[in-house]
Amino acid sequence: EESGWTAILDPEPRRFHLFAPPVSDEQVRFAIQPQSHDRHVEVLTWSFPEVRPTGTTLQMAWERMHVTFDVRVPPSRPVEVGSDFAERFVGSYRLNLRPPLGDGDVDFEVGYDGSRLTATWASAPNPRLQSIWLLSLGAGMFAPVELENGEIFDIVMDLVFEFTPLEGRADRFEMRALGDALWGVGTRED
């Protein structure tokens, strides 16, 4: 239509492109606004110019028109935890870094924001890791969740915080990298 287009995602895999599909409860329909661009695209092209852990940008281009829309998906692992679970880990720790991250002690604070375990440490190996969420992997192990503007940017699966003991209040953790390399040991201070 002149005012905009309606995208229709239909479960029927084989449908001739000249005939609109009949309306069905199984379809997903949403309004999209086409825009013109300078380059000519000969063949109808679908691309994903931006891919994020929580979604992507999908772009359809043909001739001198393109349509871009945002697709969001929930994280494949929930980052929310209950307060009873969180209490076992919340506290102040002294993290003794090992090479290649350094050789010394830094403060490592684990908190709870009402739904997620959080952690802060000023000398993280990456500035995005200075203030993180902790994603439970089970058995007292957590992966750091990098944030950007308060949203998930990335889940760092090659760095794991492993707290012990598994039952009751944790009094220490080990920070391990790929290949189970020990990069640090944290000891509770409070």
Side-chain angles (χ1 to χ4, degrees):
E1 298 173 4
E2 285 185 33
S3 61
W5 296 356
T6 300
I8 304 169
L9 302 179
D10 190 277
E12 175 61 44
R14 299 200 178 269
R15 185 173 303 282
F16 191 65
H17 68 279
L18 294 179
F19 305 108
V23 175
S24 162
D25 288 340
E26 295 178 343
Q27 295 170 340
V28 175
R29 292 174 171 256
F30 51 94
I32 53 177
Q33 193 63 45
Q35 297 179 357
S36 61
H37 56 88
D38 293 337
R39 73 183 160 103
H40 181 268
V41 178
E42 184 66 30
V43 177
L44 175 63
T45 304
W46 294 86
S47 63
F48 299 93
E50 180 185 0
V51 178
R52 304 172 305 279
T54 56
T56 185
T57 299
L58 175 60
Q59 185 177 69
M60 178 187 74
W62 186 36
E63 295 260 328
R64 295 196 182 279
M65 301 293 288
H66 74 268
V67 176
T68 302
F69 51 97
D70 192 48
V71 178
R72 293 182 176 258
V73 296
S76 57
R77 293 179 184 254
V79 293
E80 291 81 16
V81 296
S83 60
D84 290 346
F85 178 77
E87 285 177 12
R88 299 184 342 201
F89 308 100
V90 170
S92 298
Y93 297 83
R94 193 73 181 155
L95 175 58
N96 179 260
L97 296 174
R98 310 283 169 88
L101 293 186
D103 189 17
D105 292 343
V106 298
D107 293 328
F108 190 93
E109 296 290 327
V110 177
Y112 183 65
D113 69 2
S115 63
R116 293 173 294 266
L117 275 170
T118 63
T120 56
W121 52 318
S123 44
N126 172 340
R128 287 185 192 263
L129 292 175
Q130 290 179 355
S131 181
I132 57 176
W133 294 342
L134 295 175
L135 172 68
S136 178
L137 303 173
M141 297 186 346
F142 298 87
V145 177
E146 293 182 5
L147 305 172
E148 184 174 279
N149 301 321
E151 292 191 20
I152 295 174
F153 174 78
D154 193 12
I155 299 171
V156 183
M157 296 303 290
D158 56 356
L159 183 63
V160 174
F161 298 94
E162 188 173 341
F163 288 80
T164 55
L166 296 180
E167 298 299 324
R169 188 171 182 223
D171 59 6
R172 68 186 305 267
F173 69 86
E174 293 180 347
M175 184 172 57
R176 296 196 171 268
L178 283 178
D180 207 28
L182 182 62
W183 279 10
V185 175
T187 306
R188 185 184 286 273
E189 290 193 315
D190 63 358

